[in-house]
Amino acid sequence: VSNKRLVNTLRAPELLRTIAFNSSGELLAAAGMGGLVSVWDVATGELRHSLQLAPSSSPVANLFVWDVAFSPQGDLLAAAVGDGRLHLWHVGQAVNQAETRQEFPFLTVDAHRRAVTCLAFSPDGHTLASGSLDTSVRLWSVEELVRLEPLQ
């Protein structure tokens, strides 16, 4: 930023609302319209993950993603969605693959009565906070969330 030099431009397949770096700065997640979360390798500009909320034939596939957040350890990515749900994916910092994978969340939580608009992991990664248009902030045990049965 100090030299005002553009380093790279990453292109998303949809209109964006939110972006977040992981704690090491190696990955960047972006999301917005259409229920897709894109994750890039910052150094190479390579699209590493194409994370889908649901199959494209599903009515929830076109949901608005309000916010994304990486856990401090960089192994989890959470998305706040307009239908009141939280979605979680396992993402790695050291993914080394030739092709972008399309992945669905390993966990979806009915978190709020209205849209989930913001997320934050605690600095130790043990708690995930979600804020909503229902005027509540909810605190989730990350350990308990990842123990839940994965979606089929």
Side-chain angles (χ1 to χ4, degrees):
V1 175
S2 63
N3 66 9
K4 300 177 183 111
R5 189 177 138 261
L6 178 64
V7 176
N8 200 351
T9 299
L10 306 171
R11 298 282 178 205
E14 61 185 18
L15 297 174
L16 297 178
R17 160 69 178 84
T18 183
I19 57 175
F21 282 103
N22 69 348
S23 60
S24 69
E26 294 174 19
L27 299 177
L28 178 71
M33 304 296 292
L36 177 69
V37 180
S38 300
V39 180
W40 289 277
D41 179 301
V42 174
T44 66
E46 175 187 352
L47 182 64
R48 288 292 188 85
H49 300 278
S50 182
L51 307 173
Q52 304 279 334
L53 295 183
S56 58
S57 59
S58 170
V60 297
N62 293 320
L63 285 174
F64 187 79
V65 179
W66 284 79
D67 199 11
V68 290
F70 282 98
S71 65
Q73 298 79 10
D75 59 337
L76 295 176
L77 179 64
V81 184
D83 67 353
R85 294 180 186 185
L86 295 174
H87 296 273
L88 290 158
W89 292 268
H90 288 291
V91 292
Q93 293 178 315
V95 175
N96 188 4
Q97 57 198 22
E99 295 180 17
T100 302
R101 296 184 307 199
Q102 290 195 340
E103 303 169 55
F104 298 105
F106 77 89
L107 180 67
T108 297
V109 178
D110 291 323
H112 292 269
R113 291 186 319 260
R114 296 185 63 198
V116 182
T117 58
C118 50
L119 295 170
F121 281 92
S122 62
D124 64 9
H126 294 290
T127 305
L128 174 63
S130 61
S132 170
L133 292 179
D134 67 12
T135 70
S136 69
V137 174
R138 295 194 173 164
L139 303 177
W140 306 89
S141 165
V142 173
E143 182 178 315
E144 293 298 319
L145 286 175
V146 297
R147 282 189 194 163
L148 295 175
E149 284 292 315
L151 292 173
Q152 298 299 324

